[in-house]
Amino acid sequence: MTECHGAVDIGTNSVRLLIGDGVDTVERRMRITRLGRDVDRTGRLDPAGVDAPGSVLAEYGRLLEHHGVVVACRRDGGGAVPPIATSSSTAPPRRWDTVPSC
């Protein structure tokens, strides 16, 4: 079995997954979540949108594990898939102050 690597991109309006073996793409997914709905107007992540990526990330986590990719977002601190989030999640006052940690 070829070693696979993965990336998850948590964007303003979608969450993307890419899994590949360095040559071929094994999985490529994109789901619309609208995490950043109205962020330009309000300056904050939408509370309803904050919950939206959870089920998508759970699904992507299962796909990563299925392909043997070690996931970084684990309570024990182990893993190898770094999470990437929208700039809205880190720019004041839009911080992830309402998003539970994984």
Side-chain angles (χ1 to χ4, degrees):
M1 180 174 181
T2 305
E3 181 179 27
C4 288
H5 303 278
V8 175
D9 175 6
I10 305 168
T12 304
N13 287 304
S14 65
V15 180
R16 297 171 183 265
L17 169 71
L18 179 64
I19 300 173
D21 63 10
V23 176
D24 296 312
T25 297
V26 177
E27 293 274 355
R28 181 186 299 266
R29 306 271 176 114
M30 191 272 292
R31 298 268 302 275
I32 303 295
T33 58
R34 306 231 350 136
L35 172 65
R37 176 183 21 235
D38 294 328
V39 75
D40 290 335
R41 182 178 57 80
T42 65
R44 301 194 67 76
L45 293 174
D46 179 51
V50 168
D51 292 333
S55 63
V56 176
L57 292 172
E59 173 191 341
Y60 289 178
R62 288 188 293 273
L63 288 167
L64 289 161
E65 288 182 13
H66 173 76
H67 291 290
V69 179
V70 180
V71 180
C73 194
R74 295 190 336 217
R75 294 191 189 280
D76 67 5
V81 179
I84 303 166
T86 176
S87 61
S88 323
S89 67
T90 57
R94 305 172 189 154
R95 291 185 205 121
W96 285 96
D97 54 356
T98 60
V99 179
S101 61
C102 54

